[in-house]
Amino acid sequence: MRLQKPWDVFVAGGGPAGLATAIAARRHGLSVIVADGAVPPIAKPCGEGLMPDGVEALRDLGIAIPESEAYPFRGVRFVSEGTTAEAEFPRGTAYGIRRTHLHRVMLDHAAACGVRTLWQAPVTGLHPEGALVAGELVRARWVVGADGTSSRVRRWAKLDQHRPNTRANKNLRFAFLRHYRVAPWTDFMELHWGRHCQVYVTPVSREELCVALISFDPKLRLRRGLQEEDALAEFPELSAHLRHAEYLSNERGAITVTRSLRRVYRGHTVLVGDASCGVDAITGEGLCLTFRQAALLGECLASGELDRYQRSHRALLRRPTLMAHMMLFMARHSGLRRHAMRVFQSHPRSFARLLAIHVGEGSAREQISNGIAVGWELLKA
Ligand SMILES: Cc1cc2nc3c(=O)[nH]c(=O)nc-3n(C[C@H](O)[C@H](O)[C@H](O)COP(=O)(O)OP(=O)(O)OC[C@H]3O[C@@H](n4cnc5c(N)ncnc54)[C@H](O)[C@@H]3O)c2cc1C
């Protein structure tokens, strides 16, 4: 490895956050090197839904999703105990896209922008002059921790303190995911609410679905034994669609957590993506948030304004966190969930308003007025 050059930016982690930050920093003329312990394309467990705001955030980084790599969907459908509510996105198209495809698309763009990448290159520590890759010093002015939920950079930089009421274990959930060979029966992303879990289904190609189970129970699985379909047994309609489908991947687990940190930088080390915060996977907003943070960070690294990054990072996190808490509340309280589902089914406009808030459509004022309208519908029903 020839790593001697003093780089402007060293990025630990070459997932969506690391690559997006590297691209954004290059757009501001900084020299960037990314190191990741894995081999691309990286197949991290993910629900694989990219909402219209995420598509837009990616486009702002200069990346377009090739239609051939993804499957478009036009809205979200909630299904719960025989009740259904659905709405189309107010604007734009969402995509289901396999993580490996997304990674490849981002990687190609990063290479075209002049980002230097090192694979099978674990970051092993921080150093006053940069970071250590497999024990070897890489000199850099800035070190970016984009190493995911269990970030070691976060720990090394002593940035692990959470903001009040966002203790990590309080909102920690367990996810299991698998791909099925099934032609999508809908062009909506479906979220099925069960008593103890949620299952969401994202079409990722004309013959493939990504199915994600999320719950507070680490033992719950989509499928346990040969005969048992553990969690799916609660969703007979969904089970019927999947019963005879071929598996296209093994069931893989992941954790998801809603949290925010007191600080996202210390000295010349700064965090981005899941290393810097978390919103529950059920929101489908993690990637969008990551891309928005990365664009901001690229700008702030170029100007040296990490304090601005920290302030704006907090502002970016506000809406997705609110939506995550709302959905976790629905997950925990079945009575409220039933009530909300009845209202959403009988007043489709209120569900459309909720979806508009979710994807950040409209000005802050419009979002607040949409929020009040949804709250009013729920209260008066
Ligand atoms: C179950 C689940 C479902 C989700 N579904 C959706 C969804 O449908 N839509 C959506 O928008 N978001 C979703 N998300 C969120 C989304 O996956 C994350 O927000 C996104 O992956 C964050 O990217 P990241 O680059 O920060 O982290 P990661 O994708 O985790 O990437 C971190 C990278 O760092 C590398 N790394 C770690 N440690 C080191 C080290 N020491 N040295 C070098 N490299 C290292 C890893 O190899 C990895 O490549 C979901 C998340 C989960 C858990």
Side-chain angles (χ1 to χ4, degrees):
M1 282 192 283
R2 281 184 55 242
L3 308 173
Q4 288 311 312
K5 174 178 173 180
W7 301 82
D8 291 322
V9 184
F10 171 85
V11 183
L19 291 179
T21 304
I23 291 164
R26 283 295 301 137
R27 284 159 73 103
H28 288 278
L30 303 177
S31 61
V32 187
I33 186 164
V34 177
D36 195 296
V39 179
I42 299 173
K44 185 207 171 244
C46 179
E48 303 185 333
L50 193 55
M51 300 293 163
D53 48 340
V55 174
E56 189 180 287
L58 202 52
R59 202 179 306 124
D60 290 346
L61 290 165
I63 303 174
I65 300 280
E67 293 272 335
S68 56
E69 301 276 6
Y71 192 88
F73 58 94
R74 63 191 169 100
V76 174
R77 176 179 298 140
F78 280 9
V79 183
S80 177
E81 300 170 285
T83 323
T84 301
E86 65 180 45
E88 290 187 19
F89 297 115
R91 195 165 53 91
T93 304
Y95 289 97
I97 178 166
R98 283 292 288 253
R99 267 302 272 252
T100 42
H101 295 357
L102 177 66
H103 199 240
R104 204 173 330 105
V105 168
M106 293 191 71
L107 197 49
D108 287 350
H109 193 71
C113 291
V115 173
R116 171 82 194 274
T117 46
L118 304 169
W119 303 103
Q120 288 182 297
V123 179
T124 48
L126 300 179
H127 186 280
E129 290 179 46
L132 302 172
V133 176
E136 195 175 333
L137 174 62
V138 183
R139 288 193 169 76
R141 183 165 157 230
W142 303 110
V143 173
V144 175
D147 50 344
T149 305
S150 310
S151 170
R152 296 175 76 192
V153 172
R154 186 174 63 222
R155 196 157 15 98
W156 293 328
K158 299 189 172 40
L159 288 167
D160 248 335
Q161 284 166 342
H162 298 109
R163 296 182 70 206
N165 299 325
T166 65
R167 276 180 300 114
N169 55 0
K170 192 172 140 222
N171 294 321
L172 178 69
R173 303 219 295 160
F174 302 89
F176 290 89
L177 304 97
R178 165 167 257 172
H179 295 91
Y180 291 78
R181 188 190 296 281
V182 185
W185 54 86
T186 167
D187 49 4
F188 281 70
M189 197 197 92
E190 287 190 347
L191 176 52
H192 295 255
W193 296 85
R195 272 172 301 132
H196 308 296
C197 64
Q198 299 82 51
V199 173
Y200 68 96
V201 182
T202 314
V204 291
S205 82
R206 252 182 271 176
E207 53 167 28
E208 197 176 346
L209 302 175
C210 177
V211 179
L213 158 76
I214 307 183
S215 78
F216 288 101
D217 180 356
K219 296 198 196 79
L220 204 58
R221 297 284 185 283
L222 280 167
R223 181 175 196 273
R224 178 155 290 176
L226 280 176
Q227 304 302 323
E228 293 169 274
E229 291 281 336
D230 271 9
L232 286 181
E234 229 192 294
F235 308 96
E237 241 181 84
L238 181 57
S239 285
H241 281 297
L242 302 178
R243 187 161 298 133
H244 301 296
E246 182 191 342
Y247 299 133
L248 294 175
S249 64
N250 291 327
E251 190 165 337
R252 294 182 67 197
I255 57 165
T256 177
V257 64
T258 302
R259 66 172 156 208
S260 61
L261 301 175
R262 282 183 190 274
R263 299 180 55 99
V264 291
Y265 83 96
R266 190 181 301 286
H268 72 156
T269 304
V270 55
L271 306 175
V272 69
D274 282 5
S276 71
C277 64
V279 288
D280 195 275
I282 200 173
T283 62
E285 280 291 305
L287 288 168
C288 176
L289 186 59
T290 290
F291 299 145
R292 295 259 185 255
Q293 290 166 355
L296 174 70
L297 181 54
E299 210 178 293
C300 293
L301 289 173
S303 60
E305 298 172 288
L306 289 196
D307 212 34
R308 174 158 81 89
Y309 173 67
Q310 180 158 278
R311 278 196 312 277
S312 306
H313 180 283
R314 194 164 290 172
L316 283 177
L317 196 51
R318 215 165 278 140
R319 179 181 46 83
T321 301
L322 184 75
M323 298 313 290
H325 284 305
M326 194 209 78
M327 291 172 95
L328 286 173
F329 199 75
M330 273 181 74
R332 284 189 175 109
H333 301 278
S334 54
L336 177 117
R337 185 172 63 243
R338 276 186 212 111
H339 174 71
M341 282 299 296
R342 275 196 302 272
V343 172
F344 292 151
Q345 187 177 40
S346 54
H347 299 81
R349 195 160 156 65
S350 62
F351 191 64
R353 282 197 171 109
L354 186 73
L355 186 60
I357 301 172
H358 190 91
V359 296
E361 179 65 20
S363 63
R365 180 187 282 246
E366 284 163 331
Q367 288 184 24
I368 290 168
S369 90
N370 269 340
I372 292 170
V374 175
W376 176 241
E377 292 283 5
L378 288 171
L379 280 175
K380 75 174 187 191

